[in-house]
Amino acid sequence: MPARSSWKGFLKLSLVSVPVKAYTATASSSGEIRLNQLHAECHSRINYKKTCPIHGEIPNDQIVSGYEYSKGQYVLVDTDELDKLRTEDEKAINIDAFVPQNNVDPTYFSGKSYYLIPDGPVGQKPYALLVQGMVELKRNAIAQVVMHGRDQLVLIRPVDGLLNMSILNYDSQVTKPGAFSEEVAKPTAEGEELKLAKTLIEASSPKKFDLGKYKDLYTAKLTELIQKKVAGEEVVAPPVHEQAQIINLMDALRASVEQVQKAQPEGAAAKPPRKMAPSVGKARPAAKRKSG
């Protein structure tokens, strides 16, 4: 479990309050490699110092916050004053409604999510009841909470016995698909092309999907590059494998289906339909009439 929680408060549903702690759902380091900016001439690291135009560089303990209400005129806002703005309701995650699962379009997700964990023994039972109820009813919760100095809209969903809270974008922050309607043509999708496209989709649908198989290959390559340069080894670019350009859409679909089927013959969810030769009925010879 992480060393410290990101937020503490209450998860409120009507008159029920559950004390919870919020832990970020993503690893802090996650193997990311950060490159530093250096001076090209001497390779010294570039520094960013906090300076005052009158007194020069100043330490962090001498920095305060303020709002510029007029050019060059500031009103100071102390952190204690900000804390006083928070009411008891704002120190809670207030559930407003429950919605069916998959009811919120993924476009609204901001990319930040947290695990809500019961804070102390008193929260264990109501927490478990809420999780189980949401699981059995197949519901997620829409709520609001003050985090990071602003009102946040969140989606809460049960995940493996826990509650996961994802920060959502407000509707006004999301660009609607209609904004790009003029950029997309409406060609007819039917016939053999559509059949091949559906076959390709089905052939690319594994019976068992594991998101854990996907790795950050770029970071691995960057790590290898750094290690080689530190060791004084020469870095050689890998050969480029050019793929044959297929201009005809039908040829591209057929080649893609064949490639996918060869790559995962056991994982394909469905086999492509057999090509049936058009049936041609043979004319039967006319029956001879018996002469009477």
Side-chain angles (χ1 to χ4, degrees), residues 210-229:
D210 180 18
L211 195 61
K213 76 173 186 177
Y214 296 95
K215 308 298 180 183
D216 185 359
L217 298 180
Y218 176 79
T219 298
K221 292 177 181 178
L222 180 56
T223 301
E224 183 181 4
L225 167 67
I226 293 173
Q227 291 173 345
K228 286 185 176 181
K229 291 183 71 70

Side-chain angles (χ1 to χ4, degrees), residues 132-150:
Q132 189 62 27
M134 293 172 68
V135 169
E136 294 187 5
L137 292 175
K138 297 181 179 180
R139 295 287 192 273
N140 293 336
I142 299 295
Q144 286 187 291
V145 60
V146 176
M147 289 184 72
H148 311 303
R150 56 170 294 188

